[in-house]
Amino acid sequence: MLQTKQDAPLNSTPGFITGTQPIKFFEFSGLILECQFSQESYQDSLFTTLAIHFPDEIAKACQKRKAEFLAGRYCAHLALQQFGHIETHVPIGPNRSPQWPTDTPGSITHTHDLAICALNDKPKAIGIDYEPTISTETAREIKNLIVNQAEETRLSQTGLPLEQWLTIAFSLKESLFKALYPTVKQYFDFLDAEIQDIDCKNKKIALTLNRDLCPEAIKGQRFLGAYNSYREGFITLLEC
């Protein structure tokens, strides 16, 4: 378990932070750190206990959002410390995007009782996402919002069930959005990117943009991501 002298011990957080550990199964030269937390144990005073800035936008949010934000920023705080940063505050930028140090780009994902932070040790944008496996019923309902017909054909040929390959596709496109947003500075749709190849043996996926997003992210541009099954779902990682 990672901890430094500056960090609050876990037993001082009334059951909120329940553990931290690195994730090492990706071929990635940076750092991926996981933080488990309990939404039920959240209280506002934990921002002070954990020395995490409590922004006004979050103070007005529901308890679930506050808990997820705190766990994500605490995870980022620990990860930045591992990279030698003294200042570990990650401000909220436009459209709620985290503002990372220029020499240490990163990404955060959180869901239910899990927050994960990925930091790069080189000047490449990064996106990470974790998604619990989508139910079969929900997968059928949202499939056409996530993938086009060509993608559905490619992904269904992997032998993975619908709920698994759709979860992977959803998560990878979320990772792409997180990686590209600091450059494109606009929202774009799931169908604006198309999965072209999936290598289930090595757990690699290639996808391309279906339209120009900005001069640095143009139609046909290709990106390579990775995925892995994790806990109750899948985690994806993409650098660009």
Side-chain angles (χ1 to χ4, degrees):
M1 183 176 296
L2 298 173
Q3 190 172 41
T4 70
K5 291 181 180 178
Q6 292 77 27
D7 297 327
L10 298 185
N11 60 11
S12 73
T13 64
F16 178 65
I17 300 296
T18 58
T20 62
Q21 64 182 9
I23 294 174
K24 298 182 177 180
F25 47 69
F26 285 121
E27 295 177 6
F28 177 57
S29 60
L31 170 68
I32 304 175
L33 184 63
E34 170 193 291
C35 176
Q36 303 100 45
F37 65 99
S38 167
Q39 288 188 19
E40 294 74 19
S41 299
Y42 170 83
Q43 48 190 290
D44 288 353
S45 61
L46 289 170
F47 275 89
T48 300
T49 302
L50 296 173
I52 301 298
H53 177 63
F54 195 8
D56 291 340
E57 305 96 307
I58 299 302
K60 300 172 185 176
C62 66
Q63 178 166 320
K64 177 179 181 294
R65 170 66 177 144
K66 290 178 182 178
E68 290 176 343
F69 180 89
L70 176 57
R73 286 309 197 271
Y74 180 67
C75 193
H77 159 77
L78 294 180
L80 285 165
Q81 283 192 331
Q82 296 300 307
F83 271 72
H85 285 265
I86 296 174
E87 174 54 63
T88 61
H89 172 50
V90 180
I92 299 175
N95 294 315
R96 302 191 303 179
S97 59
Q99 301 296 285
W100 300 95
T102 55
D103 61 342
T104 316
S107 183
I108 298 173
T109 182
H110 40 61
T111 181
H112 302 315
D113 59 355
L114 189 68
I116 300 171
C117 175
L119 287 183
N120 222 336
D121 62 351
K122 49 191 174 183
K124 277 190 171 184
I126 183 172
I128 194 165
D129 187 70
Y130 167 76
E131 300 290 338
T133 301
I134 301 168
S135 71
T136 302
E137 181 180 358
T138 300
R140 289 172 179 160
E141 291 174 353
I142 69 171
K143 178 186 63 178
N144 293 337
L145 301 175
I146 309 303
V147 297
N148 61 31
Q149 186 58 58
E151 290 177 291
E152 179 177 354
T153 299
R154 294 182 192 112
L155 292 165
S156 62
Q157 290 173 348
T158 62
L160 296 172
L162 165 64
E163 59 271 19
Q164 291 188 12
W165 64 250
L166 191 67
T167 303
I168 294 168
F170 181 97
S171 183
L172 184 68
K173 292 186 179 186
E174 283 285 337
S175 288
L176 177 67
F177 174 81
K178 292 177 183 179
L180 286 182
Y181 185 81
T183 299
V184 304
K185 295 180 172 59
Q186 63 170 299
Y187 285 108
F188 54 94
D189 192 77
F190 285 102
L191 298 179
D192 289 331
E194 181 175 333
I195 293 171
Q196 300 291 344
D197 303 290
I198 179 168
D199 178 352
C200 293
K201 179 180 178 181
N202 296 303
K203 296 183 171 59
K204 304 287 187 182
I205 309 182
L207 70 170
T208 58
L209 293 179
N210 283 335
R211 69 177 179 93
D212 295 343
L213 298 176
C214 71
E216 296 78 24
I218 61 175
K219 183 177 180 179
Q221 191 165 342
R222 186 178 175 91
F223 303 92
L224 183 64
Y227 73 94
N228 214 313
S229 58
Y230 194 62
R231 296 187 180 271
E232 294 82 32
F234 292 89
I235 185 171
T236 59
L237 180 73
L238 185 145
E239 295 179 89
C240 61

